[in-house]
Amino acid sequence: MELRKKGATRPNKRISREGKIMFLCILPFLILVFLFAYFPLHGWIYSLYDYKPALGLARSEFVGLRWFRMLVSSQTQVDQIVQVMKNTFAMSFLGIATSILPVGFAILLNEIKCKWFKNLVQTLTTLPNFISWVLVYTIAFSLFSSTGLVNTLLQEWGFITDPLKFLDSDNHTWLMMCLWNIWKGLGWGAIMYLAGISGIDPELYESARIDGANRFHLMRHITLPALLPTFLVMLMLSIANLLNNGMDQYFVFQNAFNKNHIQVLDLYVYNLGLGGNSLSLATAISMLKSVISVALLAIVNGASKKIRGTSII
């Protein structure tokens, strides 16, 4: 009995030691997450003050929930927020509607049998993801401005007399932002699905070919169903991040002509806080956005547990 007890304690000690080693391995990453994701939350206290940078927080006036009441008491503020939320939801829903494109692109890319051409296409479509939005706007300005390449060629060929306003116009702003986002992220978004395709058992394809299935049958009945679980997880995460459009893309493309339809919630908070010098009001709006995002994540997580039987977090 004593030997059994001694032998039983050794695996527990080993597991405990390995657990400590693994914890030490992830500890630097936990510290980084705390510093950049949780520690900045102490800044929410600015929403309770009439913060003036010159005075500092200690000498700024404590106003309680004034900024939160202002969000619904001022009709002008309400109208602005309504328009900003329209832009935010429009951009998000367009992104969700086009999230199937990386799946289709990955499936079609996988069907390319010429290896060097496949690698070339994958490289060319992935590279835009590593280009900053500042450089993307520089490319867009060189091509589509009033004196850009596209307008110059169209005028020289006699198709138009006056330059077309691609950038300095408020027409189809949501669609244009969606197209730029697709161009930048299509190849990068397909990488995860290409990895999923590589994990499919080749015997499934061989069995289907023996039964007379062609390439389209293989894509429809084997490849696509195998990728659907991954797509559903990514879709639910996109819904949870419905209010998080990012700022850099819309910041570089905004101008006096399209500001009414390009200003999403993140950009509105930035313009209000730094451009309008209303840091406390911007903090209050950002705080509400974070709370709503957490609530959406909880709802999506519960829906995933009911629909798929597993939660996403």
Side-chain angles (χ1 to χ4, degrees):
M1 294 294 291
E2 293 181 358
L3 291 175
R4 288 182 181 177
K5 290 182 178 178
K6 289 180 180 179
T9 56
R10 287 176 184 174
N12 293 334
K13 289 183 178 179
R14 183 180 178 183
I15 293 174
S16 178
R17 184 170 177 271
E18 291 179 352
K20 291 179 181 178
I21 294 174
M22 295 301 297
F23 176 75
L24 291 176
C25 290
I26 67 172
L27 183 59
F29 301 101
L30 293 177
I31 294 174
L32 289 175
V33 170
F34 173 77
L35 290 177
F36 291 98
Y38 292 100
F39 181 73
L41 293 180
H42 82 281
W44 282 3
I45 195 175
Y46 287 85
S47 64
L48 303 177
Y49 287 82
D50 185 11
Y51 177 68
K52 305 294 183 184
L55 299 177
L57 186 63
R59 292 191 294 170
S60 297
E61 179 187 358
F62 178 81
V63 295
L65 301 178
R66 176 202 292 179
W67 305 115
F68 296 95
R69 289 193 295 267
M70 182 180 293
L71 295 177
V72 294
S73 61
S74 172
Q75 186 60 41
T76 302
Q77 189 71 41
V78 170
D79 293 340
Q80 285 184 349
I81 293 179
V82 168
Q83 181 60 46
V84 167
M85 295 305 295
K86 284 182 181 179
N87 299 338
T88 302
F89 284 122
M91 301 289 187
S92 296
F93 282 122
L94 283 174
I96 292 173
T98 56
S99 61
I100 192 66
L101 294 180
V103 180
F105 181 70
I107 295 175
L108 295 177
L109 193 61
N110 184 66
E111 293 299 316
I112 299 177
K113 301 304 179 183
C114 183
K115 190 173 182 180
W116 70 266
F117 182 70
K118 176 182 177 180
N119 293 335
L120 177 64
V121 173
Q122 186 175 359
T123 301
L124 292 178
T125 53
T126 305
L127 278 177
N129 179 75
F130 301 99
I131 302 175
S132 68
W133 280 109
V134 177
L135 293 179
V136 171
Y137 180 75
T138 303
I139 297 172
F141 187 82
S142 301
L143 292 175
F144 299 109
S145 65
S146 299
T147 57
L149 178 63
V150 174
N151 274 313
T152 301
L153 292 177
L154 291 176
Q155 286 178 313
E156 289 182 356
W157 293 342
F159 290 106
I160 59 173
T161 55
D162 297 323
L164 300 176
K165 298 183 180 298
F166 293 105
L167 299 178
D168 51 351
S169 172
D170 199 25
N171 296 327
H172 312 295
T173 302
W174 296 343
L175 180 60
M176 294 301 296
M177 291 298 100
C178 180
L179 292 176
W180 280 111
N181 201 30
I182 292 173
W183 173 78
K184 196 173 187 294
L186 180 64
W188 178 257
I191 290 178
M192 182 179 298
Y193 299 109
L194 286 171
I197 293 174
S198 64
I200 300 175
D201 189 356
E203 294 183 358
L204 294 175
Y205 292 104
E206 294 298 331
S207 301
R209 290 191 185 96
I210 293 174
D211 292 337
N214 57 31
R215 296 176 68 178
F216 292 101
H217 291 150
L218 297 178
M219 286 187 287
R220 178 181 177 183
H221 297 289
I222 298 178
T223 308
L224 185 59
L227 296 180
L228 280 180
T230 303
F231 172 73
L232 289 176
V233 171
M234 300 301 297
L235 179 64
M236 290 182 177
L237 289 175
S238 299
I239 296 174
N241 289 308
L242 201 63
L243 300 181
N244 299 317
N245 300 96
M247 187 198 74
D248 41 359
Q249 174 187 1
Y250 311 103
F251 177 76
V252 296
F253 275 93
Q254 72 171 342
N255 53 54
F257 300 96
N258 63 14
K259 189 175 182 180
N260 190 43
H261 285 95
I262 203 173
Q263 195 166 219
V264 295
L265 190 57
D266 290 323
L267 180 59
Y268 178 69
V269 170
Y270 175 84
N271 289 335
L272 191 64
L274 297 182
N277 199 24
S278 300
L279 295 174
S280 297
L281 181 58
T283 303
I285 297 175
S286 180
M287 181 177 173
L288 292 176
K289 189 200 84 167
S290 300
V291 173
I292 295 173
S293 297
V294 172
L296 286 174
L297 180 59
I299 293 172
V300 169
N301 190 57
S304 175
K305 186 174 294 186
K306 286 187 177 181
I307 297 173
R308 302 175 62 246
T310 57
S311 59
I312 59 178
I313 57 174

